[in-house]
């Protein structure tokens, strides 16, 4: 039966996708893992797979044109199959959806002209608690723990739950008084922004009907499930929503996966696989296929082992023949392939999304310079003899960057799409590595602070970040970022720009190096820094001039203290 291919949701803010190019044409054979088309979204150009085998019967959106989310862009089926009924049905559904209204279409409700939306009101006195927006980049929050249980009395200032965002673990306050009537997201699960996570109201209030109605609306998007078998015999359930994306849920692995044999008894195998099996004298019906639909390929035959040990480990029987001797069997036990899937934290999800967007959206270029750190090392020793807080080299770099940015405002800028924003204030982010990923605490107004003030602020922010107690105001608003890996013995590296900044400075280790001075060889302590620049807002000469000024401040620290 022919299958429709719809425009999938390829980013969280995507409303339509532009077909950049079709990689197949009508009449071509396609496999489930073939890339049918390249699609330009609001974030990047991405690949669209059909996830079905067959012949490409229909292309609904020509290259260069855009398709709405969930719109039919292609149909795949058997060669010569009549697919027009699918398009007629689509037009009928679209017409009915238009008549019923855009709201039903948005939530994916079945559109029928005779049905009326079912509305259930929240009982009097009951209040919803929804997942709040706890950071500027947050799309969902994971409930780490509930501090109250259903039936508990809660006050307006009670902390109901601890929520892990992409930045830190934060407290959620309900701001409502009453009894906790309902918890919608269990601990360990994530909730989208504005999703209902709890309901508070008068004791004994029945909210079951309201909750059921909300769930019905959520599930009205419609999901279809199909059980498939992976190459290693593990069953998976593919759920396809009306929005297009597919998710795979792993099911318990069967104890004894068997080769997949079609109902007609025909063994699916490539001609080369059949030839090699015949040459080896193998019974091909015993071979587990790893190709599309369980198809047996060359590697399956070559990797097939006739014998197994008592504990199920595969063995290879090797029988070298020597003169005047019987064949010798050498049993070699093979290792077991394995892997561990690590669930993504909210922080890691946003790191992947934002840095991916930065790297493939902002045209990066890199400028590297060596700084002589002899005077800076001597100055730091003298400063720490009188400073109330220990000053690190990173604190000195923050101060030097702040002073240099004051003289080079073009570097202290942000690309805004239609204009460039030159920031008059200087907020410097200092990237910090945590087990969950990177976070960037921000030193506000760094150019107006002394070295000891910068050191104190940085120490406090780093401690909060490690305890996951940073507040949104403390990790947002950066206009320039520093990433320092010198303490990990990294001599030189490049960093990805941290939006909305135009630049990020990568700082390496201080290394004793032989240098030539006045015709003599001497040793000097040298540190390499690399400035990553967004070429849309910062040109090469601008970035180079900034580094020259930074070099002067670092190599003669007294100049940045006056």
């Amino acid at each position: 039966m022919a299958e429709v291919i719809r425009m999938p949701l390829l980013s969280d803010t995507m409303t339509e996708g532009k077909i950049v190019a079709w990689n197949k044409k009508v009449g071509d054979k396609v496999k489930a893992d073939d890339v049918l088309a390249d699609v330009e979204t609001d974030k990047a150009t991405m690949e669209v797979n059909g996830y079905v085998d067959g012949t490409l019967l229909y292309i609904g959106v020509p290259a260069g044109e855009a398709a709405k989310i969930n719109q039919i862009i292609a149909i795949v089926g058997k060669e010569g199959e009549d697919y027009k009924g699918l398009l007629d049905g689509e037009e009928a559904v679209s017409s009915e959806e238009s008549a019923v209204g855009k709201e039903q279409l948005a939530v994916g409700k079945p559109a029928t002209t005779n049905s009326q939306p079912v509305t259930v009101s929240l009982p009097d006195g009951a209040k919803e608690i929804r997942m709040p927006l706890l950071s500027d980049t947050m799309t969902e929050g994971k409930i780490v723990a509930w501090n109250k249980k259903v039936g508990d009395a809660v006050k307006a200032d009670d902390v109901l739950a601890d929520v892990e965002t992409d930045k830190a673990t934060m407290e959620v306050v309900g701001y409502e008084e009453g009894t906790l009537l309902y918890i919608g997201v269990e601990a360990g699960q994530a909730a989208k922004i504005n999703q209902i996570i709890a309901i508070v109201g008068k004791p004994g209030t029945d909210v079951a009907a309201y909750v059921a109605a909300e769930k019905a609306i959520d599930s009205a998007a419609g999901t279809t499930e199909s059980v498939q078998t992976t190459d290693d015999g593990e069953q998976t359930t593919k759920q396809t929503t009306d929005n297009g994306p597919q998710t795979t849920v792993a099911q318990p692995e069967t104890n004894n996966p068997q080769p997949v044999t079609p109902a007609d008894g025909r063994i699916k195998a490539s001609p080369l696989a059949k030839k090699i099996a015949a040459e080896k004298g193998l019974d091909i019906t015993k071979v587990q296929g790893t190709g599309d639909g369980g198809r047996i390929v060359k590697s399956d035959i070559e990797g097939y082992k006739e014998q197994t040990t008592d504990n199920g480990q595969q063995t290879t029987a090797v029988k070298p023949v020597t003169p005047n001797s019987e064949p010798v069997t050498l049993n070699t036990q093979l290792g077991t392939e394995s892997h561990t899937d690590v669930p993504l934290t909210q922080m890691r999800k946003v790191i992947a999304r934002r840095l991916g967007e930065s790297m493939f959206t902002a045209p990066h270029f890199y400028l590297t310079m060596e700084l002589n750190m002899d005077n800076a090392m001597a100055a730091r020793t003298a400063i720490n003899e009188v400073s109330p807080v220990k000053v690190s080299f990173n604190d000195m770099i923050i101060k030097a960057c702040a002073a240099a940015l004051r003289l080079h405002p073009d570097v202290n800028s942000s690309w805004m799409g239609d204009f460039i924003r030159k920031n008059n204030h200087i907020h410097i982010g200092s990237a910090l590595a945590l087990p969950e990923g990177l976070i960037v605490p921000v030193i506000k107004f760094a150019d107006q602070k002394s070295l000891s003030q910068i050191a104190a602020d940085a120490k406090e922010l780093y401690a909060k970040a490690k305890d996951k107690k940073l507040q949104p105001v403390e990790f947002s608003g950066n206009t320039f970022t520093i990433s320092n890996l010198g303490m990990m013995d990294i001599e030189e590296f490049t960093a990805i720009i941290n939006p909305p900044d135009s630049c990020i400075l990568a700082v390496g280790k201080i290394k004793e190096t032989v240098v030539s001075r006045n015709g003599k060889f001497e040793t000097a302590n040298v540190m390499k820094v690399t400035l990553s620049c967004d070429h849309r807002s910062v040109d090469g000469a601008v970035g180079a001039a900034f580094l020259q000024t930074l070099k002067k401040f670092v190599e003669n620290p007294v100049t940045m203290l006056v």
Side-chain angles (χ1 to χ4, degrees), residues 270 272-273 276 287-288 290-291 296-304:
S270 69
L272 181 57
I276 296 174
V287 179
Q288 176 71 38
T290 61
I296 300 168
V297 295
K298 175 185 175 183
S299 60
D300 299 327
I301 299 297
E302 293 178 340
Y304 178 71

Side-chain angles (χ1 to χ4, degrees), residues 494-557:
T494 58
I496 300 175
I497 295 169
N498 180 33
D501 300 349
S502 287
C503 297
I504 184 171
L505 187 72
V507 181
K509 67 177 289 187
I510 299 174
K511 182 180 180 181
E512 190 174 34
T513 306
V514 176
V515 297
S516 176
R517 289 178 182 167
N518 301 321
K520 297 181 180 180
F521 289 105
E522 301 176 359
T523 59
N525 292 287
V526 174
M527 181 177 73
K528 289 185 178 181
V529 295
T530 299
L531 185 69
S532 304
C533 305
D534 183 345
H535 216 323
R536 297 174 299 180
S537 50
V538 176
D539 292 330
V542 174
F546 168 81
L547 283 182
Q548 287 179 323
T549 301
L550 177 68
K551 181 180 177 72
K552 291 177 181 177
F553 283 139
V554 173
E555 293 187 345
N556 191 9

Side-chain angles (χ1 to χ4, degrees), residues 274-354:
K274 292 179 180 178
K275 179 181 178 182
I276 296 174
E279 291 174 351
K280 290 188 173 186
L282 296 180
D283 183 356
I284 199 169
T285 62
K286 296 180 179 180
V287 179
Q288 176 71 38
T290 61
D292 294 340
R295 188 168 182 258
I296 300 168
V297 295
K298 175 185 175 183
S299 60
D300 299 327
I301 299 297
E302 293 178 340
Y304 178 71
K305 312 300 177 185
E306 282 286 345
Q307 300 179 4
T308 58
T309 62
D310 292 340
N311 62 2
Q313 292 288 338
Q314 291 181 332
T315 63
T316 303
V318 183
K319 298 183 179 182
V321 179
T322 58
N324 303 319
S325 67
E326 293 296 325
V328 179
T329 299
L330 300 178
N331 289 329
T332 303
Q333 182 167 311
L334 302 181
T336 302
E337 293 183 354
S338 64
H339 64 269
T340 302
D341 293 331
V342 180
L344 293 178
T345 63
Q346 302 304 313
M347 181 184 293
R348 179 56 61 188
K349 289 180 182 178
V350 173
I351 288 172
R353 177 172 59 84
R354 284 173 59 81

